[in-house]
Amino acid sequence: MRKTLLNRPYQLSFALVLLLLCYAGLGMAQTQNYTIKGVITDARTNEPIPGATVRISNAAGGAVAGSSGAYQLSTTVKPGKYQLTFSFIGYTPVLKDVVLGSSAAISLDAKISEDYLRLNEVVVTGTAVATSRKTLGNAISTVNAGDIANSSATSVDQALAGKISGAQITQNSGNPAGGISVRLRGTSTVAGSGDPLYIVDGVIVNNNSTELLDLGGYSQNRMVDINPNDIDHMEIIKGAAAAAIYGSRASNGVVQIFTKKGKAGKTQFDFSSQLKISELRKKLEINEYPFRFNNTTLTDLSQTAVTRYDYQDDIFRTAIGTENNMSVSGGTENTQYYVSGNFLSNQGIIDATNFRRAGVRAKIDQKLNNWLKMSIGTNYILSTSHEVPNGGINEAYGALTGFIFANNYINPNPVNGVYPALATAVARTNPLEAINRFDFQQRTSRFIGDFQLMANPIKGLNINYVLGYDNATQIGTGYIPVGNTTPSYNTGYSRRADQTTFLVNNDLNISYQTKINDWLESTSGIGGTAQSQKTYQTGLTATLLGPIGQTINNGVSIATEYRSDVNIMGAFVQQTFGILNKFYITGAARYDESSVFGEKFRGQFYPKVSGSYVVSNEKFWTDSKISSVISSFKIRSSYGQAGNLTAIGAYDRTTSYVPLNLSGQASVTSPALLGNPDIKPERQTEFEIGTDMSFFKDRLSFEFSYYKKDVKDLILLASLAPTEGYLSQYLNIGTMTNKGIELMVRAVPILKDNFRWNISATYSRNRNQVNDIPGGVLLFAGGFSQVAAINGAPLGTFYSTYFARNADGSLLLTAGGLPQTEKVGRDANGQPSGATLKKVIGDPNPDWIGSLINEISIGKHWSFRTQFDASIGGDVFNFTKRVGDRDLYGGLKGYEPELRGEVPKGTSAALFSIFENWIEDGSYVKLREASVSYTFKPGFLKTGNMRFNLSGRNLLSFDKYSGYDPEVNAAGQSSAVRGFDFVEVPIPRMIVAGFNITF
């Protein structure tokens, strides 16, 4: 048997730990103990900066400023000249030289200035080495705690919307735990997940969107478990060129999340409370015409008087929510702690829905000696939700599905306890029965923990070990009582499903930083990882229920079970050189092995190279007048590769026969999926080039990037001929390209002692194209086979029927004056004949996306903030309107012209089959966030402050879309099916009032 890393994980783990211990045992000689004290203040306001850090360059030692800004740094080094770096998130680092000699105590104060344009942000890449953005050859975006706090978001990924360039972040559902899709520089896969890899404090965390219950396409993704209030900052690595060091899981980008930590000094308490009010932003216009046709015969125009009902008034409500957060932090120079608790209770705008999340998090940082630190983090979350199924994609039960198929001239209220059927042509659920009688719930219990060791045994050497653990158990239960209006479960329905996941990652990163001479600096890195992901999933569904009891044993049940075990081993090496403080070159390579693939393609190599040239550090630049206009100017470029493991399951490469019991005899049956031992991971190659510039003493900055991503070996589920004996097989077929530009502009137009105005704007454009699809077209069931991957077109284009037209472009009508679909030919009368034709009728991918953020601070108390998000040019397939305007249902306003005789009877039936008619412009500009806050220090507080704030989310939408919201997607977090609207829960308008107290 071939020896691989996966065959000997225990040997590799032992070697990594042994390497750490060897480095930790290196001796130190001719050293002396020193203590450096001082105060760190804001250069503009002279206010202390709690939490600011002080580090000695190329030596072990560091400190964090307390609540008064005072710090005390103890270190053991050889006497000599050293450099101290004073830094804080959102501030420009300050370097100060210090000479350590015979005196053991040194005093040194520092003033640092706010980095309004974030030009000097320090980021942490996969090597665990902190690096200034100025030296990077690729674009990395950051979002800090202040950005998140102002967003009024209930989940981490929701809070990212509009804050970084190159990211399309959409909320697919307006449910209180609605799923979020994050696409960094376009979609890079078809069959797999398009979401980035999430890492929280070094822990690779699960962000699956498992549908344990069929709720109509909506599903929670597990980032909803992470409390945004616990986050200190996030780093977003958007492309393969930057993410290559993360290897086989990074083709969709990486989001690194860093949570809050304790700081040395007095104990600090922080408490916040919010009241949230959510409401439907826009209702669908309903059919209010007081008559209906007696039948569907085209020549019979007789009508009967009816009373029309707006079922939306009974389905939607004004929802109330509360959120409370409390934290306690503090510590000494050697020990810092942070403990927080939170509780969120949020009603949904669909009656009877809600989402609750409670969590407790603790983090302890312990200095074991002068060169070794330890950190332990724990986070437990329990979330629950009451759901009302929506129906739509796979199942026909659900509230909003029942609403759109209903004839709205029937009173929906129960008679003698029995809910009437509202749909006369097609059986669908009475929406009020779904709300009042159905019982669908989800519960997730989750623990995320990390153990870290950070060693600095000798000058310049950093050793970091991370053990990460993420365990989640998600349970879903569904119940539909006997005797109901559903089309398929009149005899009752009960379901219980659960999924338990275990993710473990062991990472060892070793880096060595040194200044070789006056003009050459070096940072060398090497590391290894051992990762494991186990999944256990069961599902029990029962029908033919008895008259009482909601559990599975109350009926005839069918059971399913799934287990998977994925293991990944990898190692990387990275080298960075800094030349003359203006040229920076980085080369890296990563090798991964994954158990998902067969031995032939199990091992994968991912290279990376990047470089940057800080032109503004040239002497000719600093000595000329141009430096007073263009403060900084950097050119950067990068190239790299990364992989994707999400497109297939743990055992999809094998032909797994299905066990079953037949008349008491054990047997197996042939599976539908034929294995493919030669399947290999999707591979993405990206080239990026860009520039970063600042003007007028860093009051204005531009970040521009151009990228081109080529994805090959796309994994697609191909249909097989019946003679094969199987239905389908995963194959490496197809290629994909994403290319685009990103622009971020930051400016500080006004900066005075009592007034500050910050502006941030983003613009992103991505062009996606799929090629080499066998047969040219691949249809996706998640869009009712009206969505496809087509050679030469973007992924997810709408591909379906279209209008027959005359040569002049006008509609070619039937003899009865009705529109019709185009076909392959014309008959003797010039009417379409033969097979119906299809073509690309729309594209959900926007032409460009952007955002505009304005922040104004007045004095020391008032601050104002607005954020507008824009998505321009994408189409939406309005399946909701297609059904609601049809004569058989006719609940929407679009059917009224036919009832009034303004168009021929039968027009709605004719349009129903012409899918081109239901494509609408999905462009929108939203007032995503708006807030005002007042901060002050009341007399009863010796330290700290209070803040009152009023904010809103999704307050306004400027669009021409006739549906609820052009942003939602009935296919949830699907990579391929986007912009498909079939009565998905609309995104609510939210008003939030709250206060925060710190002392």
Side-chain angles (χ1 to χ4, degrees):
M1 180 179 179
R2 181 188 171 196
K3 291 291 185 179
T4 69
L5 287 173
L6 292 175
N7 299 140
R8 48 181 186 271
Y10 299 107
Q11 294 94 318
L12 179 62
S13 299
F14 177 76
L16 294 178
V17 174
L18 182 61
L19 184 60
L20 173 63
L21 294 175
C22 289
Y23 273 111
L26 292 175
M28 294 173 286
Q30 298 179 354
T31 59
Q32 185 174 333
N33 295 326
Y34 292 96
T35 299
I36 306 173
K37 296 180 180 181
V39 177
I40 307 173
T41 56
D42 185 297
R44 183 171 66 92
T45 65
N46 290 320
E47 295 288 330
I49 305 177
T53 60
V54 188
R55 295 190 179 278
I56 301 182
S57 301
N58 293 327
V64 178
S67 57
S68 63
Y71 74 92
Q72 179 174 311
L73 186 155
S74 298
T75 186
T76 303
V77 295
K78 297 178 182 178
K81 185 178 180 180
Y82 291 86
Q83 195 172 65
L84 294 184
T85 302
F86 298 85
S87 62
F88 187 62
I89 294 175
Y91 282 74
T92 300
V94 169
L95 304 180
K96 290 203 170 196
D97 292 328
V98 61
V99 177
L100 302 181
S102 58
S103 176
I106 298 95
S107 294
L108 185 64
D109 295 336
K111 294 180 179 292
I112 57 178
S113 301
E114 285 189 73
D115 184 10
Y116 301 106
L117 304 182
R118 305 184 185 184
L119 299 173
N120 298 281
E121 284 179 323
V122 175
V123 297
V124 180
T125 60
T127 60
V129 176
T131 307
S132 170
R133 288 196 336 139
K134 277 192 172 183
T135 67
L136 293 175
N138 46 262
I140 292 182
S141 299
T142 57
V143 176
N144 60 40
D147 299 326
I148 299 169
N150 292 323
S151 69
S152 301
T154 56
S155 67
V156 172
D157 38 13
Q158 188 183 69
L160 287 174
K163 296 175 178 62
I164 55 177
S165 61
Q168 183 181 7
I169 301 170
T170 55
Q171 184 170 343
N172 300 311
S173 169
N175 280 295
I180 308 293
S181 291
V182 178
R183 300 291 180 266
L184 302 178
R185 294 182 172 176
T187 299
S188 300
T189 184
V190 176
S193 168
D195 285 316
L197 175 70
Y198 287 90
I199 302 174
V200 179
D201 290 336
V203 182
I204 296 175
V205 295
N206 170 24
N207 189 40
N208 289 346
S209 300
T210 305
E211 292 186 60
L212 297 179
L213 306 172
D214 193 324
L215 301 171
Y218 149 71
S219 63
Q220 301 175 5
N221 49 351
R222 294 274 48 95
M223 287 310 296
V224 76
D225 299 329
I226 308 298
N227 179 21
N229 196 65
D230 281 335
I231 294 174
D232 182 76
H233 68 285
M234 292 186 281
E235 297 174 1
I236 298 87
I237 304 172
K238 290 174 283 191
I245 200 168
Y246 295 92
S248 57
R249 309 181 77 161
S251 68
N252 297 320
V254 179
V255 176
Q256 292 191 115
I257 299 173
F258 301 86
T259 60
K260 296 175 180 177
K261 297 181 178 182
K263 301 163 186 173
K266 295 181 179 179
T267 300
Q268 179 173 297
F269 295 87
D270 190 284
F271 176 77
S272 65
S273 183
Q274 293 182 334
L275 173 67
K276 305 171 184 276
I277 300 176
S278 302
E279 61 183 7
L280 182 67
R281 185 182 55 80
K282 171 187 176 183
K283 290 171 62 175
L284 298 184
E285 292 187 276
I286 65 163
N287 182 358
E288 298 176 299
Y289 192 68
F291 294 90
R292 68 174 177 86
F293 284 121
N294 293 327
N295 52 58
T296 57
T297 304
L298 296 183
T299 57
D300 185 356
L301 302 181
S302 61
Q303 297 183 343
T304 298
V306 294
T307 300
R308 299 284 181 178
Y309 299 88
D310 188 350
Y311 302 144
Q312 296 172 102
D313 293 336
D314 297 313
I315 295 173
F316 296 103
R317 67 176 176 185
T318 298
I320 306 297
T322 59
E323 182 174 3
N324 295 281
N325 291 277
M326 184 172 183
S327 67
V328 180
S329 62
T332 64
E333 180 186 350
N334 292 326
T335 305
Q336 297 90 44
Y337 60 88
Y338 184 95
V339 180
S340 68
N342 66 88
F343 180 70
L344 167 71
S345 178
N346 209 16
Q347 292 180 337
I349 58 173
I350 299 288
D351 199 9
T353 62
N354 65 45
F355 174 72
R356 293 187 174 97
R357 179 184 66 212
V360 177
R361 191 177 75 87
K363 191 169 189 66
I364 297 176
D365 295 289
Q366 178 65 49
K367 183 177 180 181
L368 301 178
N369 55 39
N370 287 332
W371 55 270
L372 184 62
K373 295 181 181 179
M374 178 182 69
S375 174
I376 297 176
T378 61
N379 191 8
Y380 176 74
I381 310 104
L382 177 64
S383 67
T384 62
S385 62
H386 283 76
E387 316 279 7
V388 170
N390 196 26
I393 299 296
N394 297 314
E395 290 284 5
Y397 59 75
L400 288 179
T401 305
F403 153 65
I404 203 62
F405 278 98
N407 303 97
N408 72 333
Y409 52 78
I410 301 174
N411 190 326
N413 293 301
V415 179
N416 298 324
V418 178
Y419 286 87
L422 304 182
T424 59
V426 178
R428 288 295 184 269
T429 306
N430 183 314
L432 300 191
E433 183 177 38
I435 290 171
N436 297 321
R437 296 189 70 204
F438 293 9
D439 188 1
F440 283 69
Q441 299 185 41
Q442 296 192 79
R443 185 185 71 187
T444 300
S445 176
R446 186 173 189 179
F447 176 82
I448 301 173
D450 67 276
F451 170 78
Q452 303 188 36
L453 285 175
M454 295 144 285
N456 305 104
I458 61 174
K459 180 179 179 180
L461 180 64
N462 295 279
I463 306 172
N464 291 270
Y465 170 74
V466 179
L467 172 62
Y469 179 77
D470 181 9
N471 167 222
T473 297
Q474 182 180 354
I475 299 173
T477 59
Y479 172 68
I480 300 175
V482 176
N484 56 72
T485 55
T486 66
S488 47
Y489 297 110
N490 183 259
T491 59
Y493 169 91
S494 179
R495 176 169 173 79
R496 186 191 190 279
D498 62 80
Q499 182 186 77
T500 299
T501 57
F502 298 90
L503 277 75
V504 178
N505 63 285
N506 289 270
D507 297 317
L508 178 63
N509 296 317
I510 303 172
S511 65
Y512 181 70
Q513 294 176 292
T514 185
K515 192 167 185 178
I516 299 174
N517 52 43
D518 291 341
W519 58 271
L520 182 62
E521 298 178 24
S522 170
T523 301
S524 305
I526 188 172
T529 183
Q531 304 169 19
S532 177
Q533 179 171 342
K534 301 179 186 295
T535 303
Y536 304 92
Q537 184 172 325
T538 58
L540 296 166
T541 303
T543 54
L544 301 174
L545 303 185
I548 60 172
Q550 297 189 16
T551 54
I552 300 299
N553 57 354
N554 191 36
V556 179
S557 61
I558 299 175
T560 60
E561 183 179 5
Y562 172 77
R563 305 176 190 176
S564 76
D565 189 352
V566 176
N567 294 285
I568 300 172
M569 292 286 183
F572 76 88
V573 60
Q574 177 166 299
Q575 176 63 47
T576 298
F577 288 111
I579 304 171
L580 299 172
N581 196 33
K582 54 190 174 186
F583 298 101
Y584 298 90
I585 302 172
T586 298
R590 170 142 177 170
Y591 179 81
D592 271 2
E593 290 190 353
S594 168
S595 63
V596 171
F597 301 96
E599 289 193 17
K600 185 176 180 181
F601 296 106
R602 180 165 291 171
Q604 296 290 323
F605 175 77
Y606 302 102
K608 165 192 171 179
V609 62
S610 66
S612 65
Y613 173 31
V614 185
V615 184
S616 54
N617 282 358
E618 291 281 7
K619 191 175 188 304
F620 74 82
W621 191 283
T622 56
D623 292 345
S624 67
K625 293 183 179 180
I626 193 174
S627 62
S628 62
V629 178
I630 305 177
S631 311
S632 64
F633 176 35
K634 182 183 80 172
I635 302 171
R636 51 181 165 78
S637 183
S638 59
Y639 167 91
Q641 295 183 343
N644 185 14
L645 301 178
T646 65
I648 65 172
Y651 312 115
D652 287 342
R653 73 178 188 279
T654 64
T655 303
S656 303
Y657 285 82
V658 181
L660 77 159
N661 191 290
L662 192 62
S663 302
Q665 299 295 318
S667 60
V668 295
T669 184
S670 177
L673 180 68
L674 174 63
N676 181 1
D678 293 331
I679 197 78
K680 52 187 173 182
E682 299 173 336
R683 177 176 288 266
Q684 179 185 134
T685 301
E686 182 186 53
F687 170 74
E688 172 188 334
I689 188 169
T691 182
D692 302 334
M693 303 177 68
S694 68
F695 302 82
F696 313 120
K697 297 182 179 179
D698 293 342
R699 296 283 292 272
L700 173 67
S701 73
F702 291 87
E703 298 174 22
F704 173 82
S705 299
Y706 166 83
Y707 62 86
K708 185 175 185 290
K709 301 195 300 183
D710 293 311
V711 185
K712 67 177 184 178
D713 299 324
L714 279 177
I715 298 178
L716 300 176
L717 188 62
S719 299
L720 300 178
T723 54
E724 296 284 344
Y726 304 90
L727 297 181
S728 57
Q729 182 184 37
Y730 281 108
L731 298 173
N732 289 113
I733 48 179
T735 60
M736 183 187 296
T737 298
N738 288 286
K739 56 183 177 180
I741 60 174
E742 303 168 351
L743 176 65
M744 171 166 274
V745 180
R746 290 191 173 100
V748 188
I750 301 176
L751 180 61
K752 297 183 177 180
D753 289 343
N754 293 314
F755 190 91
R756 188 182 73 199
W757 178 19
N758 285 32
I759 298 175
S760 299
T762 67
Y763 172 88
S764 305
R765 188 187 72 189
N766 183 75
R767 295 293 180 263
N768 175 275
Q769 188 177 96
V770 179
N771 283 294
D772 300 323
I773 301 295
V777 178
L778 177 66
L779 301 177
F780 301 112
F784 295 130
S785 297
Q786 311 302 317
V787 180
I790 301 173
N791 284 339
L795 177 65
T797 51
F798 304 128
Y799 181 78
S800 193
T801 59
Y802 55 98
F803 285 104
R805 296 182 182 273
N806 295 305
D808 62 0
S810 61
L811 295 183
L812 174 57
L813 304 178
T814 66
L818 300 177
Q820 55 191 323
T821 59
E822 186 60 274
K823 298 184 178 181
V824 294
R826 294 283 190 271
D827 63 14
N829 298 317
Q831 292 293 312
S833 63
T836 300
L837 293 177
K838 293 184 177 182
K839 69 175 184 179
V840 173
I841 59 174
D843 178 10
N845 300 283
D847 294 336
W848 63 272
I849 57 176
S851 64
L852 177 64
I853 301 173
N854 279 275
E855 298 173 292
I856 295 176
S857 298
I858 301 175
K860 295 182 179 181
H861 303 296
W862 290 99
S863 62
F864 304 85
R865 185 179 188 277
T866 61
Q867 176 179 322
F868 287 89
D869 290 353
S871 177
I872 307 299
D875 295 321
V876 176
F877 198 138
N878 195 342
F879 215 89
T880 302
K881 183 174 174 61
R882 175 177 179 260
V883 174
D885 285 359
R886 175 76 195 268
D887 56 352
L888 296 178
Y889 323 111
L892 295 185
K893 196 77 171 178
Y895 180 50
E896 280 193 17
E898 188 168 326
L899 291 170
R900 297 180 186 277
E902 298 169 2
V903 297
K905 184 179 181 182
T907 296
S908 65
L911 291 173
F912 189 77
S913 61
I914 308 173
F915 286 87
E916 181 187 17
N917 187 64
W918 312 109
I919 304 299
E920 298 188 36
D921 181 10
S923 301
Y924 63 81
V925 176
K926 288 189 174 183
L927 178 54
R928 181 76 72 185
E929 300 169 11
S931 65
V932 55
S933 63
Y934 180 77
T935 304
F936 67 104
K937 183 177 180 179
F940 61 85
L941 286 181
K942 293 183 179 179
T943 61
N945 58 58
M946 288 189 70
R947 185 180 74 251
F948 289 94
N949 64 282
L950 180 66
S951 61
R953 187 170 182 84
N954 297 305
L955 296 176
L956 298 171
S957 180
F958 304 95
D959 60 73
K960 297 180 181 179
Y961 184 56
S962 65
Y964 284 123
D965 195 315
E967 188 177 357
V968 297
N969 183 43
Q973 285 77 270
S974 168
S975 295
V977 182
R978 310 300 306 163
F980 193 82
D981 183 10
F982 190 28
V983 285
E984 187 50 65
V985 178
I987 300 172
R989 174 191 289 121
M990 180 183 290
I991 304 295
V992 180
F995 77 94
N996 174 274
I997 182 170
T998 302
F999 59 94

